[in-house]
């Protein structure tokens, strides 16, 4: 029940109508008995006014989505090192008027691997894509000690700039390979961060002739619409370990909710929320 003590959370973006976050966070509030409410804020572009509004109205926290994840950064009082590396903030916490920016996309990625028992440390990883989602993944791979990281992107210049940026910020050397040559190597883990396979183009696999490729142990797809992408189906048919995109989406939300409310969500509450979230996304 909303009272005078209820804290306000929300999501800032534009468009915002299709976001699943309001459902997830209001369900988490219920499952964890936390006195918060989470609403969508369709934001006009002025981030100065938006951040002033958050402070003025004592909004406890917000998620930030397209197109503001980078734009909001310079209006915050503090940004975590990982958010600064990735160049995007998807979570803001209001600490008595001080706005702190976090990136929980990379946490979501890491947690989804951990919970599915896929180890990163020392592993040889191929990342398809070099856009916003790839940045969170690549910096997480570096942070958690991946051995050899290779990026393959259709536009190779974008992969090269990400490679240079990663070296400048972390000192880690990563490789770049032509998209069409990516499957000439062998990898422990392959991660799709591109939009290939996303609805409506559901028959597209991550790489051409992916169905003929066998030199990998685990395949992770960030695409969650559909749940089982063409690439996930191929990897499953080869009895590889697979993780689909819904997990990253779910765990980035878990991490944000824990940050705002200074709590650790129990495994029981998390399982209930996970089932409800999946039902909502795939209803
Ligand atoms: P996101 O924030 O989801 O990562 P993005 O920043 O627009 O979105 O990045 C989309 C990624 O999907 C890019 O790596 C893009 O490749 P380009 O850099 O060459 O554009 C990749 N992508 C999209 N459509 C693709 C396609 N048909 N074939 C190969 N890669 C594709």
């Amino acid at each position: 029940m909303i009272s005078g003590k209820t804290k306000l959370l929300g999501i800032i973006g534009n468009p915002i109508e299709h976001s699943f976050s309001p459902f997830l966070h209001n369900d988490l509030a219920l499952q964890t008995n936390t006195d918060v409410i989470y609403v969508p804020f369709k934001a006009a572009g002025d981030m100065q006014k938006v951040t002033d509004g958050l402070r003025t109205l004592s909004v406890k926290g917000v998620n930030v989505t397209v197109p503001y994840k980078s734009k909001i950064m310079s209006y915050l009082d503090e940004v975590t090192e990982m958010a600064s590396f990735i160049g995007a903030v998807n979570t803001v916490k209001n600490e008595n008027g001080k706005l702190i920016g976090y990136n929980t996309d990379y946490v979501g990625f890491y947690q989804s691997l951990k919970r599915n028992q896929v180890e990163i440390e020392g592993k040889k990883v191929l990342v398809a894509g070099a856009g916003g989602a790839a940045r969170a993944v690549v910096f997480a791979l570096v942070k958690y000690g991946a051995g050899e990281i290779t990026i393959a992107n259709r536009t190779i210049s974008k992969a090269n700039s990400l490679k240079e940026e990663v070296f400048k910020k972390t000192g880690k050397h990563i490789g770049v390979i032509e998209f069409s040559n990516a499957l000439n190597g062998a990898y422990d883990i392959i991660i799709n961060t591109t939009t290939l396979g996303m609805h409506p183009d559901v028959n597209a696999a991550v790489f051409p002739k992916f169905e003929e490729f066998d030199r990998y142990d685990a395949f992770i797809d960030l695409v969650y619409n559909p749940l089982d992408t063409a690439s996930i189906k191929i990897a499953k048919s080869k009895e590889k370990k697979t993780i689909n995109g819904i997990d990253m989406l779910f765990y980035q939300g878990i991490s944000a909710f824990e940050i705002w409310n200074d709590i650790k969500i129990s495994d029981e509450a998390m399982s209930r929320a996970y089932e409800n979230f999946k039902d909502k996304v795939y209803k």
Side-chain angles (χ1 to χ4, degrees):
M1 194 58 131
I2 298 173
S3 75
K5 292 182 183 147
T6 304
K7 299 271 193 308
L8 182 59
L9 302 171
I11 179 162
I12 293 169
N14 194 358
I16 204 66
E17 292 80 0
H18 304 293
S19 170
F20 291 113
S21 295
F23 176 83
L24 173 64
H25 289 287
N26 286 310
D27 188 44
L28 286 173
L30 208 69
Q31 303 298 346
T32 60
N33 208 8
T34 308
D35 192 7
V36 292
I37 181 161
Y38 184 107
V39 294
F41 292 112
K42 184 168 177 169
D46 189 336
M47 286 299 111
Q48 184 65 61
K49 284 184 181 159
V50 165
T51 47
D52 285 347
L54 296 177
R55 292 186 185 94
T56 308
L57 297 175
S58 306
V59 174
K60 179 77 191 151
V62 286
N63 282 130
V64 184
T65 187
V66 178
Y68 303 125
K69 282 187 180 189
S70 301
K71 205 171 165 193
I72 199 167
M73 293 178 79
S74 53
Y75 300 91
L76 303 174
D77 299 296
E78 212 178 294
V79 164
T80 64
E81 184 180 54
M82 276 300 272
S84 149
F85 281 175
I86 295 164
V89 157
N90 78 320
T91 299
V92 175
K93 183 178 189 180
N94 184 352
E95 302 250 27
N96 303 314
K98 189 169 153 198
L99 299 184
I100 305 170
Y102 298 81
N103 185 300
T104 69
D105 287 329
Y106 90 87
V107 184
F109 168 73
Y110 175 65
Q111 284 295 337
S112 69
L113 265 65
K114 210 169 144 189
R115 292 195 168 254
N116 288 285
Q117 280 104 38
V118 173
E119 281 288 328
I120 293 178
E121 207 179 332
K123 294 292 158 72
K124 199 170 169 193
V125 188
L126 172 66
V127 178
R135 298 179 63 87
V137 165
V138 168
F139 281 104
L141 290 171
V142 174
K143 180 178 172 80
Y144 296 109
E148 212 175 290
I149 304 166
T150 307
I151 311 177
N153 195 48
R154 177 180 58 182
T155 312
I156 200 157
S157 58
K158 269 170 71 182
N160 279 319
S161 5
L162 181 54
K163 168 197 158 105
E164 278 164 31
E165 207 185 315
V166 168
F167 180 67
K168 223 180 271 168
K169 288 175 171 172
T170 70
K172 172 87 176 170
H173 281 288
I174 62 178
V176 167
I177 191 166
E178 289 270 357
F179 206 71
S180 52
N181 289 338
L183 300 187
N184 289 338
Y187 309 95
D188 295 309
I189 308 172
I190 300 179
I191 305 165
N192 177 34
T193 74
T194 75
T195 49
L196 284 161
M198 192 184 280
H199 183 80
D201 203 1
V202 297
N203 293 321
V206 52
F207 293 110
K209 303 209 174 142
F210 187 51
E211 68 282 0
E212 291 169 20
F213 188 67
D214 201 34
R215 295 188 300 274
Y216 63 105
D217 296 328
F219 176 73
I220 296 150
D221 208 328
L222 266 48
V223 172
Y224 60 86
N225 176 22
L227 182 59
D228 273 355
T229 58
S231 306
I232 288 267
K233 283 184 192 154
I234 291 169
K236 275 186 178 168
S237 76
K238 294 188 176 297
E239 291 173 6
K240 307 296 183 188
K241 193 150 202 171
T242 61
I243 305 178
N244 49 47
I246 191 87
D247 284 23
M248 177 165 169
L249 192 66
F250 178 75
Y251 289 114
Q252 64 74 29
I254 292 288
S255 173
F257 195 87
E258 290 184 337
I259 289 170
W260 294 321
N261 300 302
D262 294 308
I263 58 166
K264 183 96 190 74
I265 299 175
S266 71
D267 283 349
E268 296 76 41
M270 221 185 287
S271 315
R272 289 194 300 268
Y274 185 78
E275 289 311 313
N276 293 341
F277 185 60
K278 235 163 98 169
D279 284 351
K280 177 74 183 170
V281 175
Y282 298 110
K283 79 165 190 309

